[in-house]
Amino acid sequence: SPGNTDLTEPRLVARCPVAARRRRAGPKREDETLLFKDRRDAGRRLATHIELPRESDALVLALPRGGVPVGLEVARALRLPLDVMLVRKLGVPGHEELAMGAIANGAVEVLNYDVIDALGIPNEDVEAVAARERLEMERRNALYRGDIPAPKLMDRTVIIVDDGIATGADMRAAVEAADAQGAAHTIVAAPVASRQAVEALREVADEVVTVAMPEPFGGVGRHYADFGQTSDAEVQRLLADARVPTI
């Protein structure tokens, strides 16, 4: 019912075929008036919606920065290791909040040519933004991981987590990066997502799991009581917490 905040919401999942291992199924409807207390609360609720393939070697990859507190709760609930999938949005020059694409680990680049062509953005401007964001991605990689190598994804189930999905450009880049590194099964997971983004991501991921798809969407932050910015220091602390074995 509207306003329900317990952990028993029906699981909302969309699967699709990509090559022989993909299966298509339409997303199920769910309560669209959900409000999460904060990212940790959202992560705990999201975890109840995720079902892992049998005998899978799985891990959780969170998109920094806001996806990390969500991912930590998912990893704890499913008793899986946590790491980060570094993705950077490519913002339109002068209108950086508008995405014209995204880049991710492994030299993956996803461009939105509808936006680029509609605004007449020159190739050199796109390349300049991408180069700047790659530098920031390298900075964050060194900051978050230090000397710890990135996890191997070959033949593993990879759960890619963010705090919400509006357009899906950065998540699409993350999925393509995981596939490029040999992931056997990719699960996109976010507490809240736009229907448009879910439909688009169904074309590249094995599963898309979300707690709610509100219409109208209105942005990720409106579905959280506390949507304060996650700092680099908090990401470092949460990743350090995740590396400490729990009993």
Side-chain angles (χ1 to χ4, degrees):
S1 62
N4 180 23
T5 58
D6 64 22
L7 303 182
T8 61
E9 303 99 339
R11 184 167 177 266
L12 179 60
V13 57
R15 294 188 177 91
C16 74
V18 175
R21 63 188 177 92
R22 312 290 198 201
R23 300 189 302 279
R24 180 180 296 278
K28 303 172 185 176
R29 295 186 63 83
E30 181 173 304
D31 182 357
E32 295 175 343
T33 61
L34 294 170
L35 179 67
F36 306 106
K37 296 176 184 177
D38 54 24
R39 291 181 176 89
R40 303 289 287 269
D41 171 54
R44 287 188 288 270
R45 295 176 64 180
L46 177 62
T48 68
H49 292 237
I50 299 172
E51 295 178 6
L52 295 175
R54 289 185 177 182
E55 301 179 1
S56 62
D57 179 15
L59 79 162
V60 175
L61 294 182
L63 272 57
R65 291 179 292 211
V68 176
V70 181
L72 176 63
E73 296 301 330
V74 171
R76 282 179 169 171
L78 300 179
R79 298 181 180 275
L80 296 175
L82 172 70
D83 209 294
V84 289
M85 170 65 80
L86 293 169
V87 177
R88 295 293 297 171
K89 180 179 76 173
L90 303 181
V92 172
H95 302 277
E96 281 71 19
E97 71 284 353
L98 177 60
M100 61 179 176
I103 57 174
N105 299 66
V108 170
E109 183 176 88
V110 175
L111 297 178
N112 186 335
Y113 287 103
D114 289 341
V115 171
I116 292 171
D117 293 343
L119 297 179
I121 303 171
N123 286 338
E124 55 267 28
D125 287 359
V126 175
E127 292 171 3
V129 172
R132 184 178 68 244
E133 295 301 336
R134 284 193 191 96
L135 289 176
E136 175 61 15
M137 193 162 65
E138 291 170 5
R139 182 193 73 83
R140 291 195 181 192
N141 185 64
L143 182 65
Y144 299 155
R145 285 208 180 94
D147 296 330
I148 300 174
K152 301 296 184 182
L153 306 187
M154 180 67 68
D155 298 327
R156 303 183 74 177
T157 293
V158 179
I159 307 171
I160 308 173
V161 177
D162 204 357
D163 54 11
I165 305 173
T167 67
D170 48 358
M171 186 61 81
R172 185 184 185 95
V175 172
E176 294 193 6
D179 280 342
Q181 295 174 61
H185 191 88
T186 52
I187 301 174
V188 167
V192 63
S194 71
R195 188 170 298 276
Q196 180 182 11
V198 168
E199 293 297 327
L201 290 168
R202 287 172 59 201
E203 299 302 320
V204 294
D206 291 293
E207 299 182 48
V208 179
V209 181
T210 185
V211 180
M213 291 191 297
E215 291 185 345
F217 183 68
V220 174
R222 67 172 295 186
H223 305 291
Y224 285 82
D226 178 359
F227 197 64
Q229 185 175 1
T230 304
S231 66
D232 282 335
E234 184 177 359
V235 170
Q236 290 176 291
R237 179 179 61 79
L238 294 174
L239 291 174
D241 289 348
R243 294 181 185 120
V244 177
T246 57
I247 300 175

